[in-house]
Amino acid sequence: MHVSTDILTWVAVVLTVGIFSFLWKDNPFYKFCEHLFVGISLGYFISLTWYNAVYPDLFRPLFVQPLSEVSLGNKLLFIIPLLLGLCYFCRFIPRVSWLVRFPMAFVLGWGAGVTIPAVLQTSIIRQMQGTFLTPGIFARWDVFLWAIISFVGVVCSVLYFFFSREHKGALKVASETGIVFLMVGFGASFGYTVMARMSLLIGRFQFLLRDWLGLIQ
Amino acid sequence: MIPFLILLLAAGQTAPPETTAAVLAPPAPPVAVRAFDTPNDAGKSITLRWSAADTLARTWLIERTGPEGPKVIATSEPGETNYLDEEVKDRIRYTYRIAAVAGGDTVWSAPAAAVASTPQFFNTSRVNILIAMVIFFALVVYYIESAKKGKNLFVRRIAGLDAVEEAVGRATEMGKPIVYVPGLGSVADIATIASLNILGEVAKKVAQYDSALLVPNRDPIVYTVAREIVKESYTKAGRPDAFRQDSVFFVTSEQFAYAAAVDGLMVREKPATNFFLGMFWAESLVLAETGATTGAIQIAGTDSVFQLPFFITACDYTLIGEELYAASAYLSREPLLLGSLKGQDYGKMVILLTLVVGSALLLLSKVPALSFFSNILGFFSTR
């Protein structure tokens, strides 16, 4: 056993144990660690936003770089995001708080516009391409079997999410088959993700037992 | 014996005269060298293609001639027959030539025709996405118009959403707050947009029942939107005075710090109902498990396949993927949202029909006379 003498390791250990103490019950030690975590992360986030986004992408080209580096036309373009960003602060002034809706509308519109074609491409068209039954499935019996299972699974799962008809008769059979496929998928994903979580826990215990107590190599 | 062996070894080390000639022969220059503006891109890119005349070349040298003069810009492996030059300026003409290199020999091809790169306004490889969007939006617009004309649009029962009213009522009876977590995603996530729509409906019910609502946020922009939505819902419910400024608040952007804070909030406030609707990652189980220990009714929903199992195991009701998108229409029964939901539904039917018919035709393409059906798959490939 070789207990660490590094002060930072001890700080990390105290905070780790503080967060773990929540497993027992809510307590002042956990509250302290929680508030410290939230405060530090928020401060870090503000700093990160300034140095990685606001300063290099807006403040520097608009106010610091000379006209020889950024043309007047481009500088004027930067005023648009500046004004949109400033609109967020209008909510602190009741008389003009409605201005906050402009950047919100812009961001929501942009979000939907960017996301919808991307989702269509990756989650629908590509998936359809992979689901089609092609002559290649006759190459081997196992390929054939999996292609059919996959095809039936996709069709039945999509039918489960059909909301315009009551799930009765054939639609009920199909949607119930679909939910079986979904649950099998969720079960697999559950096991996979739990293992990933376990590795996070193991990582934390390794820190306590190796870096702090020196009990393991 | 030994001199004989030495003689044999010496003979083995000497290459036959034919092989020596082959090594010494210079490689043939690549043929059919072609440079063209890379199609369907945002410019600043030229594609080169060529064919190897023989197999002697050990490497290719690619030379670009532009306003700054000739410059070797890259070397390429012998198996390669194309190259993407992404260091060009738009609307400036460049010529290219390629050399086959073997040993000490460098043999240049004839220069390809001069070419300039330009950005394309329309990406023709994504016509299929355009068609899908046109079909989808046509269906949505049609059903929205039908709903506006008063047509009764049926939506089947969704158990998780029927529980919303019950959950808000329970909170009122118990005199405890409702915690609504709109996920950890940004407004660019569809799940977040769906969650914000549901938040509006939940906030309306909360205002009507005069319950307390707490909405902790991780994303500053989602926070701003959520706050406006809740405020508007209180106004729509005729209770603008009941809206508390601090009921919707920003916590932090760090994932696990946010999870720790929401855990603390749930344990201290002891809410009657927790909503976890939107985009979630590894914190999903941390939140749902803590919520379950407080005895709250929990309604969760996400389209993240990896987090759904955790919500299914730890929450009372879980909205799976599409159910989350359908929720706002289901709860509000507003014609605009109902029409949109119907449009999505029949869009799914178009997808299923395409899958079934497409598969049948693709299987038929095994018959030589019907092999042209195999081109169907090409329509679904995108770049």
Side-chain angles (χ1 to χ4, degrees):
Chain A
M1 187 168 162
H2 177 72
V3 180
S4 171
T5 51
D6 180 14
I7 185 76
L8 289 177
T9 304
W10 276 87
V11 170
V13 167
V14 168
L15 294 175
T16 301
V17 173
I19 292 291
F20 278 172
S21 72
F22 187 72
L23 294 169
W24 168 52
K25 69 171 191 176
D26 190 30
N27 61 76
F29 189 25
Y30 173 76
K31 267 186 206 167
F32 169 75
C33 296
E34 174 203 319
H35 286 79
L36 189 70
F37 196 5
V38 170
I40 287 175
S41 68
L42 190 58
Y44 178 68
F45 166 71
I46 290 170
S47 164
L48 204 70
T49 307
W50 171 257
Y51 286 109
N52 285 3
V54 181
Y55 183 77
D57 295 340
L58 180 68
F59 196 84
R60 188 166 172 267
L62 188 58
F63 300 115
V64 179
Q65 285 180 300
L67 282 170
S68 57
E69 287 180 29
V70 181
S71 67
L72 185 64
N74 283 347
K75 275 191 186 276
L76 291 174
L77 277 178
F78 279 110
I79 292 175
I80 298 169
L82 175 69
L83 289 177
L84 282 172
L86 288 175
C87 282
Y88 277 113
F89 293 94
C90 289
R91 79 172 191 81
F92 296 116
I93 311 163
R95 265 177 50 201
V96 289
S97 63
W98 54 272
L99 281 172
V100 78
R101 294 181 174 212
F102 284 99
M104 272 164 45
F106 179 81
V107 170
L108 282 170
W110 168 83
V114 167
T115 311
I116 290 173
V119 168
L120 273 173
Q121 181 178 350
T122 57
S123 300
I124 297 181
I125 291 178
R126 283 268 168 87
Q127 303 299 323
M128 286 173 75
Q129 194 186 21
T131 308
F132 279 120
L133 299 175
T134 62
I137 65 170
F138 298 114
R140 284 201 328 258
W141 71 268
D142 57 328
V143 174
F144 176 81
L145 185 68
W146 282 115
I148 297 292
I149 290 173
S150 165
F151 188 82
V152 171
V154 169
V155 171
C156 292
S157 301
V158 172
L159 284 174
Y160 171 77
F161 294 108
F162 189 66
F163 302 107
S164 297
R165 290 273 183 281
E166 201 68 70
H167 285 184
K168 286 178 182 168
L171 188 57
K172 186 180 178 186
V173 175
S175 68
E176 283 179 357
T177 310
I179 204 77
V180 169
F181 274 96
L182 288 173
M183 289 305 152
V184 168
F186 291 153
S189 130
F190 185 84
Y192 169 77
T193 317
V194 162
M195 290 311 293
R197 301 286 185 279
M198 288 305 289
S199 73
L200 290 178
L201 185 67
I202 289 167
R204 215 57 223 158
F205 273 102
Q206 273 181 342
F207 163 73
L208 291 175
L209 299 175
R210 184 184 57 203
D211 298 10
W212 179 42
L213 295 175
L215 287 173
I216 57 170
Q217 288 299 311
Chain B
M1 184 65 185
I2 290 170
F4 177 70
L5 283 172
I6 291 169
L7 194 65
L8 272 177
L9 282 169
Q13 285 169 357
T14 310
E18 301 82 33
T19 315
T20 310
V23 169
L24 292 176
V31 293
V33 178
R34 202 161 66 92
F36 55 92
D37 177 25
T38 307
N40 300 318
D41 71 349
K44 297 188 175 89
S45 166
I46 289 173
T47 303
L48 269 94
R49 286 203 183 133
W50 64 92
S51 299
D54 58 33
T55 56
L56 295 178
R58 291 286 170 266
T59 186
W60 305 114
L61 286 183
I62 299 163
E63 183 193 77
R64 177 182 65 210
T65 305
E68 70 276 13
K71 182 185 174 189
V72 173
I73 54 169
T75 57
S76 181
E77 295 295 310
E80 297 285 333
T81 54
N82 59 60
Y83 178 77
L84 195 67
D85 183 5
E86 291 180 301
E87 288 172 3
V88 292
K89 289 177 182 168
D90 284 339
R91 296 180 184 85
I92 291 176
R93 293 177 76 77
Y94 296 93
T95 56
Y96 293 84
R97 58 180 191 154
I98 297 166
V101 181
D105 295 313
T106 302
V107 186
W108 289 97
S109 70
V115 64
S117 78
T118 50
Q120 277 76 50
F121 179 72
F122 193 85
N123 186 344
T124 53
S125 72
R126 293 189 181 174
V127 170
N128 47 12
I129 296 172
L130 178 68
I131 292 171
M133 282 182 71
V134 167
I135 293 171
F136 176 71
F137 283 109
L139 285 167
V140 169
V141 169
Y142 171 75
Y143 282 104
I144 286 175
E145 288 304 315
S146 300
K148 277 183 183 170
K149 285 173 188 163
K151 192 176 172 184
N152 185 30
L153 299 178
F154 172 81
V155 177
R156 76 166 164 85
R157 194 175 158 270
I158 302 172
L161 295 174
D162 284 342
V164 169
E165 186 104 23
E166 177 198 335
V168 177
R170 182 176 185 260
T172 313
E173 283 171 15
M174 295 173 76
K176 289 181 174 180
I178 291 166
V179 170
Y180 190 104
V181 179
L184 279 79
S186 70
V187 282
D189 293 315
I190 293 180
T192 308
I193 297 172
S195 175
L196 291 170
N197 280 333
I198 302 166
L199 173 63
E201 296 306 316
V202 170
K204 242 186 257 175
K205 289 188 198 303
V206 168
Q208 285 160 2
Y209 283 91
D210 201 18
S211 301
L213 179 68
L214 296 168
V215 188
N217 288 278
R218 186 224 183 175
D219 185 283
I221 295 173
V222 172
Y223 154 63
T224 316
V225 179
R227 191 178 170 281
E228 287 300 306
I229 284 172
V230 173
K231 191 177 170 185
E232 195 171 305
S233 294
Y234 272 78
T235 308
K236 276 184 184 169
R239 301 286 318 279
D241 52 307
F243 172 67
R244 278 176 36 228
Q245 298 276 354
D246 56 354
S247 63
V248 185
F249 51 95
F250 176 73
V251 181
T252 176
S253 286
E254 211 284 327
Q255 180 188 15
F256 287 106
Y258 175 83
V262 175
D263 278 354
L265 176 82
M266 287 190 289
V267 168
R268 280 155 225 153
E269 296 289 335
K270 297 264 184 299
T273 306
N274 294 325
F275 288 96
F276 304 114
L277 301 170
M279 197 70 200
F280 290 88
W281 285 271
E283 72 294 333
S284 63
L285 188 61
V286 178
L287 295 174
E289 270 295 318
T290 308
T293 60
T294 64
I297 281 190
Q298 302 205 105
I299 300 174
T302 182
D303 56 3
S304 166
V305 177
F306 291 105
Q307 307 313 323
L308 272 167
F310 296 113
F311 282 144
I312 290 169
T313 48
C315 295
D316 299 281
Y317 300 96
T318 306
L319 302 175
I320 303 169
E322 282 280 318
E323 290 178 336
L324 178 70
Y325 307 152
S328 52
Y330 186 88
L331 290 171
S332 69
R333 303 275 160 180
E334 276 183 29
L336 190 78
L337 296 172
L338 273 179
S340 168
L341 177 61
K342 284 278 170 183
Q344 288 173 45
D345 253 11
Y346 286 97
K348 284 173 222 160
M349 287 301 107
V350 171
I351 290 170
L352 288 187
L353 197 68
T354 310
L355 276 177
V356 173
V357 175
S359 292
L361 296 177
L362 280 165
L363 291 175
L364 281 174
S365 71
K366 202 170 167 62
V367 179
L370 301 172
S371 60
F372 56 88
F373 281 136
S374 61
N375 296 326
I376 291 171
L377 268 188
F379 180 75
F380 291 88
S381 60
T382 53
R383 277 199 296 123

